[in-house]
Amino acid sequence: MNKICLMTIAMFFTLLNISNSVFAHENRNIVIDAAHIRASIPGTNVTSAYMSIENKSVKTIVLTGASSAVSDRIEIHQHVMNNGMMSMRQVKQLIIKEQEQVILQPMGYHLMIFNVKKPLLPEDNITFTLHFAHQNDVVVSIPVQSIKQEKQAKKQHHHH
Ligand SMILES: [Cu+2]
């Protein structure tokens, strides 16, 4: 990443913080919502990020990865059943068809964050850059949530 790009991102986040809209970022075609990172469990340096990614464009979009200052290794993962055992595997890309949405959530797709440089604590907001094929990066500020907060947020998301 060059200096100008970093400056642009820094400016962008200054603006985001002023408007205090840290939960969702919208560009013309890609809408990120309900993004959160699971707080670090003491003694571990691996955690995961979840969100919904909506493709409002008229073309398929392809998520190819993510990057963040908190880790040098972030992978797109999927939970799969293997001989009755739940396991994870890396997927190289996530295809989101036009007018469709993919939800990254516990037990499903997620962004796996390895070698977290410092514990991620509830109330932290972490800058993530999502990379797409043939699309500009999308930069999001993702709040860290404890598992308890995650469950509460999920309840509020369901309107029964
Ligand atoms: Cu994983």
Side-chain angles (χ1 to χ4, degrees):
M1 226 187 294
N2 63 37
K3 260 187 188 156
I4 293 167
C5 182
L6 280 173
M7 266 178 60
T8 310
I9 291 170
M11 279 167 55
F12 177 79
F13 273 96
T14 310
L15 289 173
L16 252 191
N17 287 336
I18 288 166
S19 67
N20 203 24
S21 68
V22 291
F23 287 92
H25 169 66
E26 202 165 331
N27 83 358
R28 272 174 313 173
N29 297 325
I30 302 170
V31 178
I32 310 295
D33 198 15
H36 65 280
I37 297 170
R38 199 170 263 183
S40 294
I41 295 164
T44 68
N45 65 351
V46 180
T47 189
S48 43
Y50 309 103
M51 67 196 72
S52 69
I53 304 173
E54 188 178 359
N55 177 6
K56 294 197 144 185
S57 75
V58 293
K59 287 189 296 189
T60 295
I61 60 169
V62 182
L63 178 73
T64 56
S67 53
S68 172
V70 299
S71 166
D72 293 328
R73 185 180 163 208
I74 300 171
E75 296 176 356
I76 307 168
H77 272 202
Q78 182 183 24
H79 270 110
V80 284
M81 277 300 238
N82 235 333
N83 300 324
M85 294 268 287
M86 191 59 106
S87 65
M88 296 188 293
R89 63 172 189 154
Q90 187 181 6
V91 292
K92 288 291 176 195
Q93 54 183 32
L94 213 55
I95 293 164
I96 310 163
K97 291 189 180 137
E98 57 184 271
Q99 305 298 315
E100 286 189 1
Q101 118 175 318
V102 164
I103 298 174
L104 285 69
Q105 60 190 339
M107 310 310 281
Y109 288 113
H110 53 280
L111 296 177
M112 197 85 196
I113 311 165
F114 292 95
N115 308 325
V116 181
K117 291 174 184 171
K118 64 173 177 64
L120 306 181
L121 305 173
E123 318 306 336
D124 284 351
N125 283 289
I126 309 297
T127 302
F128 259 64
T129 304
L130 305 176
H131 306 290
F132 294 90
H134 320 299
Q135 288 269 346
N136 289 335
D137 289 347
V138 174
V139 180
V140 277
S141 177
I142 306 182
V144 177
Q145 290 181 347
S146 65
I147 289 176
K148 197 177 161 195
Q149 288 172 320
E150 185 182 284
K151 283 184 178 148
Q152 281 166 351
K154 200 176 177 190
K155 261 185 215 157
Q156 281 164 13
H157 236 78
H158 290 278
H159 304 284
H160 290 296

